[in-house]
Amino acid sequence: MSHLPARRTRPARRTPLTAALSATLTATLGAGVLTAGLLSPASAGPKGNFPETFALPDGFQPEGITISGRFAWFGSRLDGDVYRADLRTGEGERISEGPGTASVGLKVDDQRRLFIAGGPAGTARVVDGTTGELLADYTLNTGASFVNDVVLTEDAAWFTDSQAPVLHVLPLGEDGALPTQAEVRQVPLTGDWQQVEGFNANGLTLTPDGRGLLVVNSTSGLLYRVDPTTGVATEVDLGGASLTNGDGMLLQGRTLYVVQNRDNVVTVLRMKPDGLTGERIGAITDSDFDVPTTVARKGQRLYLPNARFSTPPTPETTYDVVKVSAKSVR
């Protein structure tokens, strides 16, 4: 059994949120190296200089996306496989075999580790984004659960749960050391939070000032600012704008992009630094959208995987990724 040498994270800006989570933790992890036979090439896609669309493997059923450098990673909600694509060409390969349960939201850190939400399995995994090696596997919820999205701070990985009014937390130690299972915790959502019938907490990101978390409720269409220390949620004043079907979110400065999946639209909001107020400044649409779920950014380009929830999935169902300009707000 081989282990990669530890890599130090680059210094990150400390905020009141990340400082409150600081701790020195030690992780004992089992490692399993993916065999070369699982590194299957991608379905053929268009080649060129950052293509407008590119194919994912047939039957893959993508949901989440995360980007670092020229690479994008995607998780399969079918079996949890992880696929990595080169944004310059659209070509890629499966780098990690899943556990047979979904991989939903995912984020990559500066050690190129992927933190992956496990959907209805109630789990989270950490996978090496270069080798596909499984670094850690956590149980977050043993009851009714859909661990959906994840955001990374300097000191923790935070996960939403669309079936339970909680946030799940993986505290990170010095140089990003992963926690043990015993150190995993939950923060109940209280205050203004309304747990309704159907899908609830979904997309997750930080407030512009870094002091809080923003969580969208897919069914009610409400956006909340959550105090990470107490779990108290405050409804964000959006001036009457609704985020029904809100899914993945991306914050760039004070601009918040919210993917409204079945609406085939990305709503764009201008947020106050504390995240308590936001103004809808427009939306991004594209004729190639087919129920996009999540969004990540490379320069002035936004990338969204089409989950195609309205199309019955088969092993032959095609899936792709759409590139749009971050400036194409209407």
Side-chain angles (χ1 to χ4, degrees):
M1 185 178 298
S2 62
H3 297 269
L4 294 176
R7 287 173 287 180
R8 296 179 63 87
T9 56
R10 295 191 295 271
R13 178 175 64 89
R14 296 181 65 86
T15 68
L17 169 57
T18 59
L21 296 169
S22 294
T24 301
L25 304 172
T26 302
T28 304
L29 303 173
V33 179
L34 188 68
T35 62
L38 294 172
L39 296 176
S40 57
S43 301
K47 299 179 181 180
N49 186 23
F50 295 93
E52 297 298 314
T53 64
F54 59 86
L56 296 174
D58 291 353
F60 188 72
Q61 297 186 42
E63 207 278 350
I65 180 175
T66 188
I67 290 174
S68 178
R70 71 176 193 267
F71 292 107
W73 289 262
F74 305 87
S76 168
R77 63 184 190 274
L78 172 66
D79 54 18
D81 284 2
V82 176
Y83 181 87
R84 182 182 63 208
D86 188 327
L87 296 175
R88 298 173 306 176
T89 63
E91 296 181 339
E93 62 185 3
R94 297 177 195 255
I95 65 161
S96 180
E97 182 180 26
T101 54
S103 290
V104 198
L106 69 166
K107 292 293 188 297
V108 63
D109 70 3
D110 55 12
Q111 297 183 48
R112 288 216 169 170
R113 300 180 300 184
L114 302 171
F115 291 75
I116 304 172
T123 60
R125 304 184 344 268
V126 185
V127 169
D128 188 298
T130 300
T131 68
E133 179 184 357
L134 177 65
L135 302 177
D137 194 354
Y138 299 99
T139 298
L140 304 185
N141 195 341
T142 57
S145 179
F146 194 100
V147 180
N148 202 333
D149 201 6
V150 56
V151 68
L152 301 177
T153 69
E154 181 187 4
D155 302 309
W158 293 78
F159 295 81
T160 54
D161 195 321
S162 299
Q163 297 296 333
V166 299
L167 296 177
H168 304 287
V169 189
L170 300 183
L172 302 177
E174 186 177 358
D175 293 334
L178 297 171
T180 63
Q181 176 65 52
E183 291 164 322
V184 175
R185 60 189 180 90
Q186 293 183 346
V187 176
L189 294 172
T190 61
D192 292 343
W193 182 262
Q194 298 179 35
Q195 190 79 1
V196 298
E197 185 177 352
F199 238 49
N200 286 264
N202 196 331
L204 175 67
T205 191
L206 289 171
T207 56
D209 65 9
R211 295 174 179 267
L213 298 164
L214 293 172
V215 181
V216 66
N217 187 305
S218 291
T219 298
S220 69
L222 299 178
L223 183 67
Y224 295 89
R225 181 204 186 274
V226 177
D227 185 317
T229 303
T230 65
V232 173
T234 303
E235 183 182 338
V236 177
D237 181 0
L238 297 180
S242 174
L243 300 176
T244 304
N245 295 321
D247 202 329
M249 299 198 296
L250 172 68
L251 181 72
Q252 294 289 310
R254 288 174 53 194
T255 302
L256 180 65
Y257 300 91
V258 183
V259 183
Q260 292 177 259
N261 51 38
R262 293 184 183 272
D263 298 334
N264 286 311
V265 67
V266 180
T267 291
V268 185
L269 303 163
R270 183 69 170 170
M271 304 299 297
K272 294 290 187 182
D274 60 10
L276 290 171
T277 306
E279 178 186 3
R280 186 184 186 278
I281 59 175
I284 298 172
T285 60
D286 192 278
S287 60
D288 288 322
F289 283 172
D290 191 354
V291 194
T293 44
T294 50
V295 58
R297 182 167 176 159
K298 173 68 175 176
Q300 292 301 315
R301 301 179 293 270
L302 302 179
Y303 289 87
L304 301 95
N306 277 321
R308 307 194 69 190
F309 290 153
S310 302
T311 301
T314 73
E316 291 76 36
T317 302
T318 59
Y319 295 95
D320 63 0
V321 182
V322 180
K323 181 186 78 173
V324 295
S325 170
K327 296 182 179 180
S328 59
V329 180
R330 297 290 184 267

